[in-house]
Amino acid sequence: MNFDYNEDQRALADTVQRFVAREYSFEKRRAIRASNAGWSREVWQALADLGVLAINIDEDYGGLGYGPQETGLVMNAFGAGLLLEPYLATAVIAPALIRRTASADFQEQWLPAIASGESIVVLAHADARGEPVTELGGNLTGRKAVVAHGGCADLLLVSARMPSGDAGLFGINAGSEGVAVRDYPTLDGQRAADIVLDNTPAVRIDAGGALDHIDAALDIGLAALCAEAVGIMQATVAATTEYLKTRQQFGQPIGRFQALQHRMADMLLHQEQARSMSYLAAMHCTSQDKTARQRTLSAAKVTVGQACRFIAQNAVQLHGGMGMTDELMLSHWFKRLTTIEMSFGDTDSHLARFARLSRAA
Amino acid sequence: MDLNFSPEDTAFREQVRRFVSENLPESIRHKVMNGIHLEREEHVRWQRILHAHGWGGVGWPKEFGGPGWSPTELYIFEEECARGGAPRLISFGLKMIAPVLMTFGNAAQQQRFLPKIMAAEEWWCQGYSEPGAGSDLASLKTRAVRDGYHYIVNGQKTWTTLGQYADWIFCLVRTDPEAKKQSGISFLLIDMKTPGVTVRPIITLDGAHEVNEVWLEDVKVPVENRIGEENRGWTYAKFLLGHERTNIAGIGIAKRELVRLKSIAEAEGRLDDPLFAARIAQVEIDLMALEITNLRVLSAEGAKKAPGPEASILKIKGTEIQQAIAELMMQAVGAYALPFRQTDVGPDYAANLGTGYCNLRKLSIFGGSNEIQKNIISQMIMGL
């Protein structure tokens, strides 16, 4: 048993941390957020140049062939800077899904393009209620809801119910006939889109078992999301600690008050329990045993989700009025932590799934 | 990073598991598995079984006759003992006074006391808390006055766990009333048979006799029973508190009790209630996370990084989890948790659940209350 990262991993984390500190200041993020696209091609290319877009892609396809631990380190380092770029969608989930489902030709076409930063590929999975996406004669119809970074995708990986009743995974090129994209900002400052398909021509990607493959790819994404959340928690707890040491009221730093000290201790407990579960999630997210994998990932999401909520809410509370302002990074961490809790299944849904899987196991 | 135990650790786990299943008396196992209080003799019997196997000095280095295990091995040992239904180790001797003797005691003290701790020939208890000195331990008032080759000790200790079984008590006493709080304290070893030592039971809310008051009236204690230097006792006391915190998370016990909770909930049909199932799921998830957190702390300790205030995290979460499990067990059986100390009504497993819940309220109070642990975290870890 060993909780230390190796030298290469530490170097990777260090590189990304320095990149975020240097290239992603609060002001720069604000400018990127206000831009039309809501994310930066320039930053994306810089990430490609650093190699971090390639870490989840096999060496055969121009990647580095790393795994969930390295992905976790990168996501953790992104946390403090709240990167707006589609890293989780395009550099983590999409490659995991493509390598599980697609033909060699398809992989050859798209994976090197993801690694080099040339192409944005995004999974569109959740249907809008009442408007499920279905396939008929190779064309798709229906609506995908709140697809993270769906608006900037060159290629959408779309799940659809086929006439057989099975689900299939299909590729749709952005700009195809019959694709309407409604792009919008989300609470956390990132972009998402509703994608309305109307008899849209699509290419079948998988050769069966699409839903299992999508679940597997999303689990890898969930482990990465947990690592990002822990990175944000660290930044949030550290900033709040610092604030409590400097903010003076009643003639002393407010951090001298026991009520606030205990709140901070509770925040640290949440942070460390979440960190532990993010390690466990990284270890189990590629497991072949689906029940064990989902059970562990649900446990991780419950722990991380509850920590997100607790730390975010209390960090704002302890900052007082300052915590409410758009001008502090704190409120942006708050919004991202809130978004993470509600993404990939919220705490309640994972708690229920864990209970179900525990009984089955 | 590798979260798997090494093959050596796994083999060691197998070895301990086999040992417990082959050597733990069934009558003791039954009591532990069902939350029934153990008698002194049962604790002693198990300690002597361990001792006969060369495992008497659990947690001790080889030079003092211990097995010289790593922190990870110690963790595995305690987890497997809990899993198999073995009693908790008698910590007052093994884990509290023994490390103090090894570190600050002289050779004569070590030779006099350590072998009898290992062989369970002498039972120790802790004389720390006083009626006016709980969380603020350094405000203790028990007075020791030097008189030639002796100290004359007067005062009162309280919350003395299993003091009714004890042959010896290690006591914090004030030897310099003029000095500032922490600096006037000495650390004495007192024979419970000495005239002037009186043990009075304190019956707790579960009706059990687990803790005591210990009154000290003109008790003559030979000077050679002082640990280290006069007025340096606070240093030794703090060192002891650090050692008391090994296995503080109680992962093994919590895992065992969680299994018991699930089987009771299953028998009572409570797992079909999604709300109750979710409550169990929550505590199980918290325990999964705490196990990893505990292993992280152990791993840092094994790498000779200082074992520090992180133990406070383990104490808070570990006690919260054990309390939550006890609470859910009580809730799971409903009305049959209410008959007080009866064994012939309701399902067998229900008999101790009400009192068990009551008893475990102690967890967040003793060993430094959870509020004190939060002070430690915010001040020592976070620098507030």
Side-chain angles (χ1 to χ4, degrees), chain A residues 111-168:
Chain A
L111 293 177
I114 292 173
S116 68
E118 195 182 315
S119 294
I120 304 295
V121 181
V122 170
L123 167 65
H125 182 44
D127 292 326
R129 185 145 41 86
E131 299 176 71
V133 172
T134 54
E135 181 265 347
L136 194 63
N139 292 350
L140 306 188
T141 300
R143 176 190 282 255
K144 291 294 183 184
V146 201
V147 178
H149 304 287
C152 67
D154 301 300
L155 174 72
L156 287 162
L157 307 172
V158 183
S159 58
R161 185 69 57 192
M162 301 184 292
S164 65
D166 294 336

Short mmCIF file of all heavy atoms in Angstrom, two decimals, chain A residues 111-168:
data_model
loop_
_atom_site.label_atom_id
_atom_site.label_comp_id
_atom_site.label_asym_id
_atom_site.label_seq_id
_atom_site.Cartn_x
_atom_site.Cartn_y
_atom_site.Cartn_z
N LEU A 111 -9.08 9.94 -32.75
CA LEU A 111 -8.26 10.02 -31.53
C LEU A 111 -7.03 10.92 -31.69
O LEU A 111 -6.76 11.76 -30.83
CB LEU A 111 -7.89 8.62 -31.03
CG LEU A 111 -9.09 7.79 -30.53
CD1 LEU A 111 -8.65 6.38 -30.13
CD2 LEU A 111 -9.76 8.50 -29.35
N PRO A 112 -6.26 10.75 -32.80
CA PRO A 112 -5.11 11.66 -32.94
C PRO A 112 -5.56 13.12 -33.03
O PRO A 112 -4.85 14.02 -32.56
CB PRO A 112 -4.47 11.21 -34.26
CG PRO A 112 -4.93 9.79 -34.45
CD PRO A 112 -6.33 9.76 -33.88
N ALA A 113 -6.75 13.33 -33.60
CA ALA A 113 -7.24 14.71 -33.74
C ALA A 113 -7.63 15.30 -32.38
O ALA A 113 -7.53 16.51 -32.17
CB ALA A 113 -8.44 14.73 -34.69
N ILE A 114 -8.08 14.42 -31.46
CA ILE A 114 -8.35 14.90 -30.10
C ILE A 114 -7.03 15.22 -29.40
O ILE A 114 -6.87 16.29 -28.78
CB ILE A 114 -9.14 13.84 -29.29
CG1 ILE A 114 -10.56 13.69 -29.83
CG2 ILE A 114 -9.17 14.22 -27.80
CD1 ILE A 114 -11.35 12.54 -29.21
N ALA A 115 -6.07 14.31 -29.54
CA ALA A 115 -4.78 14.49 -28.85
C ALA A 115 -4.09 15.78 -29.29
O ALA A 115 -3.45 16.46 -28.48
CB ALA A 115 -3.89 13.28 -29.11
N SER A 116 -4.22 16.11 -30.57
CA SER A 116 -3.52 17.29 -31.09
C SER A 116 -4.30 18.58 -30.83
O SER A 116 -3.82 19.66 -31.14
CB SER A 116 -3.29 17.12 -32.59
OG SER A 116 -4.55 17.16 -33.25
N GLY A 117 -5.51 18.44 -30.33
CA GLY A 117 -6.30 19.64 -30.05
C GLY A 117 -7.13 20.10 -31.23
O GLY A 117 -7.85 21.10 -31.15
N GLU A 118 -7.04 19.35 -32.33
CA GLU A 118 -7.69 19.77 -33.57
C GLU A 118 -9.21 19.62 -33.50
O GLU A 118 -9.95 20.47 -33.99
CB GLU A 118 -7.13 18.86 -34.67
CG GLU A 118 -7.35 19.28 -36.08
CD GLU A 118 -6.76 18.20 -37.00
OE1 GLU A 118 -5.61 17.74 -36.73
OE2 GLU A 118 -7.45 17.80 -37.93
N SER A 119 -9.66 18.52 -32.87
CA SER A 119 -11.10 18.23 -32.89
C SER A 119 -11.68 18.15 -31.49
O SER A 119 -11.05 17.64 -30.57
CB SER A 119 -11.36 16.89 -33.59
OG SER A 119 -11.00 16.98 -34.94
N ILE A 120 -12.90 18.66 -31.39
CA ILE A 120 -13.66 18.55 -30.14
C ILE A 120 -14.73 17.48 -30.34
O ILE A 120 -15.55 17.57 -31.27
CB ILE A 120 -14.33 19.90 -29.79
CG1 ILE A 120 -13.29 21.02 -29.70
CG2 ILE A 120 -15.12 19.77 -28.49
CD1 ILE A 120 -12.29 20.88 -28.60
N VAL A 121 -14.69 16.46 -29.47
CA VAL A 121 -15.67 15.38 -29.55
C VAL A 121 -16.38 15.30 -28.21
O VAL A 121 -15.74 15.34 -27.16
CB VAL A 121 -14.97 14.03 -29.86
CG1 VAL A 121 -16.01 12.92 -29.97
CG2 VAL A 121 -14.14 14.13 -31.13
N VAL A 122 -17.71 15.20 -28.26
CA VAL A 122 -18.49 15.26 -27.02
C VAL A 122 -19.60 14.20 -27.04
O VAL A 122 -20.25 14.00 -28.07
CB VAL A 122 -19.13 16.67 -26.88
CG1 VAL A 122 -20.15 16.69 -25.75
CG2 VAL A 122 -18.05 17.73 -26.63
N LEU A 123 -19.78 13.54 -25.91
CA LEU A 123 -20.87 12.58 -25.77
C LEU A 123 -22.15 13.31 -25.40
O LEU A 123 -22.17 14.11 -24.45
CB LEU A 123 -20.53 11.55 -24.67
CG LEU A 123 -21.70 10.66 -24.19
CD1 LEU A 123 -22.20 9.75 -25.30
CD2 LEU A 123 -21.27 9.84 -22.97
N ALA A 124 -23.23 13.02 -26.17
CA ALA A 124 -24.55 13.56 -25.83
C ALA A 124 -25.42 12.36 -25.46
O ALA A 124 -25.83 11.60 -26.34
CB ALA A 124 -25.13 14.32 -27.02
N HIS A 125 -25.66 12.20 -24.16
CA HIS A 125 -26.32 10.96 -23.72
C HIS A 125 -27.71 11.19 -23.13
O HIS A 125 -28.67 10.53 -23.53
CB HIS A 125 -25.41 10.25 -22.71
CG HIS A 125 -25.96 8.95 -22.23
ND1 HIS A 125 -26.53 8.02 -23.08
CD2 HIS A 125 -26.02 8.40 -20.98
CE1 HIS A 125 -26.92 6.96 -22.38
NE2 HIS A 125 -26.63 7.17 -21.11
N ALA A 126 -27.83 12.12 -22.17
CA ALA A 126 -29.11 12.26 -21.47
C ALA A 126 -30.17 12.88 -22.38
O ALA A 126 -29.96 13.95 -22.96
CB ALA A 126 -28.93 13.09 -20.21
N ASP A 127 -31.30 12.19 -22.49
CA ASP A 127 -32.41 12.72 -23.29
C ASP A 127 -33.17 13.77 -22.49
O ASP A 127 -33.24 13.70 -21.27
CB ASP A 127 -33.41 11.60 -23.63
CG ASP A 127 -32.83 10.59 -24.59
OD1 ASP A 127 -32.02 10.98 -25.46
OD2 ASP A 127 -33.17 9.39 -24.47
N ALA A 128 -33.76 14.73 -23.21
CA ALA A 128 -34.72 15.63 -22.56
C ALA A 128 -35.97 14.81 -22.23
O ALA A 128 -36.35 13.93 -23.01
CB ALA A 128 -35.06 16.78 -23.49
N ARG A 129 -36.57 15.08 -21.09
CA ARG A 129 -37.75 14.31 -20.69
C ARG A 129 -38.86 14.45 -21.74
O ARG A 129 -39.19 15.54 -22.17
CB ARG A 129 -38.24 14.78 -19.32
CG ARG A 129 -39.38 13.97 -18.75
CD ARG A 129 -39.29 13.84 -17.24
NE ARG A 129 -38.87 15.08 -16.59
CZ ARG A 129 -39.71 16.05 -16.23
NH1 ARG A 129 -40.99 15.93 -16.45
NH2 ARG A 129 -39.26 17.13 -15.64
N GLY A 130 -39.40 13.32 -22.18
CA GLY A 130 -40.47 13.34 -23.16
C GLY A 130 -40.01 13.46 -24.60
O GLY A 130 -40.81 13.41 -25.52
N GLU A 131 -38.69 13.66 -24.81
CA GLU A 131 -38.19 13.79 -26.19
C GLU A 131 -36.99 12.87 -26.42
O GLU A 131 -35.91 13.33 -26.77
CB GLU A 131 -37.77 15.23 -26.48
CG GLU A 131 -38.89 16.26 -26.38
CD GLU A 131 -38.37 17.67 -26.58
OE1 GLU A 131 -38.00 18.01 -27.72
OE2 GLU A 131 -38.30 18.42 -25.60
N PRO A 132 -37.13 11.57 -26.17
CA PRO A 132 -36.00 10.67 -26.31
C PRO A 132 -35.48 10.63 -27.75
O PRO A 132 -36.28 10.80 -28.69
CB PRO A 132 -36.58 9.31 -25.91
CG PRO A 132 -38.04 9.42 -26.19
CD PRO A 132 -38.39 10.85 -25.87
N VAL A 133 -34.20 10.45 -27.88
CA VAL A 133 -33.62 10.36 -29.22
C VAL A 133 -33.77 8.92 -29.72
O VAL A 133 -33.36 7.97 -29.04
CB VAL A 133 -32.14 10.79 -29.21
CG1 VAL A 133 -31.50 10.52 -30.56
CG2 VAL A 133 -32.03 12.27 -28.85
N THR A 134 -34.37 8.79 -30.88
CA THR A 134 -34.57 7.46 -31.46
C THR A 134 -33.96 7.42 -32.85
O THR A 134 -33.78 8.46 -33.50
CB THR A 134 -36.08 7.13 -31.57
OG1 THR A 134 -36.71 8.19 -32.28
CG2 THR A 134 -36.70 7.01 -30.18
N GLU A 135 -33.67 6.18 -33.27
CA GLU A 135 -33.06 6.01 -34.59
C GLU A 135 -34.05 5.30 -35.51
O GLU A 135 -34.74 4.37 -35.09
CB GLU A 135 -31.79 5.16 -34.43
CG GLU A 135 -31.04 4.91 -35.73
CD GLU A 135 -31.41 3.58 -36.40
OE1 GLU A 135 -32.05 2.75 -35.73
OE2 GLU A 135 -31.06 3.41 -37.57
N LEU A 136 -34.11 5.77 -36.74
CA LEU A 136 -34.92 5.09 -37.73
C LEU A 136 -34.24 5.25 -39.09
O LEU A 136 -33.99 6.37 -39.52
CB LEU A 136 -36.34 5.69 -37.76
CG LEU A 136 -37.38 4.86 -38.53
CD1 LEU A 136 -37.60 3.50 -37.87
CD2 LEU A 136 -38.71 5.62 -38.61
N GLY A 137 -33.88 4.13 -39.68
CA GLY A 137 -33.25 4.16 -41.02
C GLY A 137 -31.97 4.97 -41.05
O GLY A 137 -31.67 5.64 -42.03
N GLY A 138 -31.21 4.93 -39.96
CA GLY A 138 -29.93 5.63 -39.94
C GLY A 138 -30.04 7.10 -39.60
O GLY A 138 -29.03 7.80 -39.53
N ASN A 139 -31.25 7.58 -39.35
CA ASN A 139 -31.43 8.99 -38.96
C ASN A 139 -31.93 9.08 -37.53
O ASN A 139 -32.66 8.21 -37.06
CB ASN A 139 -32.43 9.67 -39.89
CG ASN A 139 -31.87 9.80 -41.29
OD1 ASN A 139 -30.68 9.56 -41.51
ND2 ASN A 139 -32.73 10.15 -42.24
N LEU A 140 -31.53 10.15 -36.83
CA LEU A 140 -31.88 10.32 -35.42
C LEU A 140 -32.86 11.49 -35.25
O LEU A 140 -32.72 12.53 -35.90
CB LEU A 140 -30.64 10.60 -34.56
CG LEU A 140 -29.47 9.61 -34.62
CD1 LEU A 140 -28.45 9.97 -33.56
CD2 LEU A 140 -29.93 8.18 -34.45
N THR A 141 -33.78 11.29 -34.29
CA THR A 141 -34.75 12.34 -33.97
C THR A 141 -34.93 12.39 -32.45
O THR A 141 -35.01 11.35 -31.81
CB THR A 141 -36.11 12.06 -34.63
OG1 THR A 141 -35.91 12.02 -36.05
CG2 THR A 141 -37.13 13.14 -34.29
N GLY A 142 -35.00 13.62 -31.89
CA GLY A 142 -35.20 13.77 -30.45
C GLY A 142 -34.33 14.89 -29.90
O GLY A 142 -33.70 15.64 -30.68
N ARG A 143 -34.32 15.03 -28.56
CA ARG A 143 -33.56 16.13 -27.97
C ARG A 143 -32.65 15.62 -26.85
O ARG A 143 -33.08 14.91 -25.95
CB ARG A 143 -34.52 17.17 -27.39
CG ARG A 143 -33.80 18.33 -26.66
CD ARG A 143 -34.78 19.21 -25.88
NE ARG A 143 -35.50 20.14 -26.74
CZ ARG A 143 -35.25 21.45 -26.82
NH1 ARG A 143 -34.30 22.01 -26.10
NH2 ARG A 143 -35.97 22.21 -27.61
N LYS A 144 -31.39 16.02 -26.92
CA LYS A 144 -30.43 15.75 -25.84
C LYS A 144 -30.35 16.99 -24.96
O LYS A 144 -30.22 18.12 -25.46
CB LYS A 144 -29.05 15.42 -26.41
CG LYS A 144 -28.99 14.08 -27.15
CD LYS A 144 -29.22 12.91 -26.20
CE LYS A 144 -29.09 11.57 -26.91
NZ LYS A 144 -29.41 10.45 -26.00
N ALA A 145 -30.43 16.78 -23.64
CA ALA A 145 -30.56 17.90 -22.72
C ALA A 145 -29.25 18.24 -22.01
O ALA A 145 -28.54 17.36 -21.55
CB ALA A 145 -31.63 17.57 -21.67
N VAL A 146 -28.98 19.49 -21.93
CA VAL A 146 -27.86 20.04 -21.15
C VAL A 146 -26.57 19.23 -21.39
O VAL A 146 -25.96 18.71 -20.47
CB VAL A 146 -28.17 20.11 -19.64
CG1 VAL A 146 -27.25 21.12 -18.94
CG2 VAL A 146 -29.62 20.53 -19.40
N VAL A 147 -26.19 19.17 -22.68
CA VAL A 147 -24.98 18.44 -23.06
C VAL A 147 -23.77 19.34 -22.80
O VAL A 147 -23.64 20.39 -23.42
CB VAL A 147 -25.02 18.05 -24.55
CG1 VAL A 147 -23.73 17.33 -24.93
CG2 VAL A 147 -26.26 17.22 -24.85
N ALA A 148 -22.93 18.93 -21.84
CA ALA A 148 -21.77 19.76 -21.49
C ALA A 148 -20.90 19.95 -22.73
O ALA A 148 -20.51 18.98 -23.38
CB ALA A 148 -20.97 19.10 -20.36
N HIS A 149 -20.66 21.20 -23.08
CA HIS A 149 -19.82 21.58 -24.22
C HIS A 149 -20.35 21.06 -25.56
O HIS A 149 -19.61 20.96 -26.52
CB HIS A 149 -18.37 21.12 -24.01
CG HIS A 149 -17.79 21.64 -22.73
ND1 HIS A 149 -17.43 22.94 -22.54
CD2 HIS A 149 -17.56 21.01 -21.54
CE1 HIS A 149 -16.99 23.11 -21.30
NE2 HIS A 149 -17.06 21.96 -20.68
N GLY A 150 -21.64 20.75 -25.59
CA GLY A 150 -22.23 20.22 -26.83
C GLY A 150 -22.18 21.22 -27.97
O GLY A 150 -22.12 20.84 -29.14
N GLY A 151 -22.16 22.50 -27.64
CA GLY A 151 -22.22 23.52 -28.68
C GLY A 151 -20.94 23.67 -29.48
O GLY A 151 -20.96 24.19 -30.60
N CYS A 152 -19.83 23.25 -28.92
CA CYS A 152 -18.55 23.46 -29.63
C CYS A 152 -18.03 22.19 -30.28
O CYS A 152 -16.92 22.16 -30.81
CB CYS A 152 -17.51 24.05 -28.67
SG CYS A 152 -17.01 22.92 -27.37
N ALA A 153 -18.83 21.10 -30.23
CA ALA A 153 -18.32 19.82 -30.72
C ALA A 153 -18.22 19.78 -32.24
O ALA A 153 -19.11 20.26 -32.94
CB ALA A 153 -19.23 18.70 -30.23
N ASP A 154 -17.13 19.22 -32.72
CA ASP A 154 -17.04 18.91 -34.14
C ASP A 154 -17.76 17.60 -34.41
O ASP A 154 -18.33 17.40 -35.47
CB ASP A 154 -15.56 18.76 -34.55
CG ASP A 154 -14.79 20.04 -34.27
OD1 ASP A 154 -15.17 21.08 -34.85
OD2 ASP A 154 -13.84 20.00 -33.47
N LEU A 155 -17.68 16.70 -33.42
CA LEU A 155 -18.36 15.41 -33.54
C LEU A 155 -19.14 15.15 -32.26
O LEU A 155 -18.59 15.25 -31.17
CB LEU A 155 -17.33 14.29 -33.74
CG LEU A 155 -17.90 12.86 -33.74
CD1 LEU A 155 -18.67 12.58 -35.02
CD2 LEU A 155 -16.79 11.84 -33.56
N LEU A 156 -20.42 14.84 -32.44
CA LEU A 156 -21.24 14.45 -31.29
C LEU A 156 -21.39 12.93 -31.29
O LEU A 156 -21.66 12.32 -32.33
CB LEU A 156 -22.63 15.09 -31.39
CG LEU A 156 -22.69 16.59 -31.11
CD1 LEU A 156 -23.99 17.17 -31.68
CD2 LEU A 156 -22.58 16.87 -29.61
N LEU A 157 -21.15 12.33 -30.11
CA LEU A 157 -21.40 10.91 -29.94
C LEU A 157 -22.78 10.80 -29.28
O LEU A 157 -22.94 11.20 -28.14
CB LEU A 157 -20.33 10.27 -29.05
CG LEU A 157 -18.88 10.52 -29.48
CD1 LEU A 157 -17.92 10.01 -28.40
CD2 LEU A 157 -18.59 9.85 -30.81
N VAL A 158 -23.76 10.31 -30.03
CA VAL A 158 -25.14 10.39 -29.58
C VAL A 158 -25.71 8.99 -29.33
O VAL A 158 -25.63 8.12 -30.20
CB VAL A 158 -26.01 11.11 -30.64
CG1 VAL A 158 -27.44 11.26 -30.15
CG2 VAL A 158 -25.41 12.47 -30.98
N SER A 159 -26.27 8.79 -28.16
CA SER A 159 -26.94 7.53 -27.88
C SER A 159 -28.38 7.63 -28.38
O SER A 159 -29.00 8.69 -28.28
CB SER A 159 -26.92 7.22 -26.39
OG SER A 159 -27.53 8.27 -25.66
N ALA A 160 -28.89 6.53 -28.92
CA ALA A 160 -30.26 6.55 -29.45
C ALA A 160 -30.89 5.17 -29.34
O ALA A 160 -30.21 4.16 -29.45
CB ALA A 160 -30.25 7.01 -30.91
N ARG A 161 -32.18 5.18 -29.09
CA ARG A 161 -32.94 3.93 -29.04
C ARG A 161 -33.22 3.48 -30.48
O ARG A 161 -33.68 4.28 -31.30
CB ARG A 161 -34.26 4.19 -28.28
CG ARG A 161 -35.11 2.99 -28.03
CD ARG A 161 -34.51 2.01 -27.06
NE ARG A 161 -34.20 2.59 -25.75
CZ ARG A 161 -33.46 1.97 -24.83
NH1 ARG A 161 -32.93 0.78 -25.07
NH2 ARG A 161 -33.22 2.53 -23.67
N MET A 162 -32.92 2.22 -30.77
CA MET A 162 -33.13 1.71 -32.13
C MET A 162 -34.46 0.95 -32.18
O MET A 162 -35.01 0.59 -31.14
CB MET A 162 -31.96 0.82 -32.52
CG MET A 162 -30.61 1.57 -32.46
SD MET A 162 -29.21 0.59 -33.03
CE MET A 162 -29.09 -0.65 -31.76
N PRO A 163 -34.97 0.70 -33.37
CA PRO A 163 -36.25 -0.01 -33.48
C PRO A 163 -36.24 -1.35 -32.76
O PRO A 163 -37.26 -1.81 -32.26
CB PRO A 163 -36.42 -0.19 -34.99
CG PRO A 163 -35.64 0.92 -35.60
CD PRO A 163 -34.47 1.15 -34.69
N SER A 164 -35.07 -1.99 -32.67
CA SER A 164 -34.97 -3.28 -31.97
C SER A 164 -35.22 -3.14 -30.47
O SER A 164 -35.43 -4.12 -29.77
CB SER A 164 -33.58 -3.86 -32.17
OG SER A 164 -32.61 -3.02 -31.55
N GLY A 165 -35.17 -1.91 -29.98
CA GLY A 165 -35.30 -1.68 -28.53
C GLY A 165 -33.95 -1.48 -27.87
O GLY A 165 -33.86 -0.94 -26.77
N ASP A 166 -32.88 -1.91 -28.54
CA ASP A 166 -31.54 -1.69 -28.00
C ASP A 166 -31.10 -0.25 -28.23
O ASP A 166 -31.64 0.45 -29.09
CB ASP A 166 -30.53 -2.61 -28.69
CG ASP A 166 -30.80 -4.07 -28.35
OD1 ASP A 166 -31.41 -4.32 -27.29
OD2 ASP A 166 -30.43 -4.95 -29.16
N ALA A 167 -30.09 0.14 -27.46
CA ALA A 167 -29.51 1.46 -27.68
C ALA A 167 -28.28 1.31 -28.57
O ALA A 167 -27.58 0.30 -28.51
CB ALA A 167 -29.13 2.10 -26.36
N GLY A 168 -28.06 2.31 -29.39
CA GLY A 168 -26.85 2.34 -30.20
C GLY A 168 -26.13 3.66 -30.00
O GLY A 168 -26.70 4.62 -29.48
#
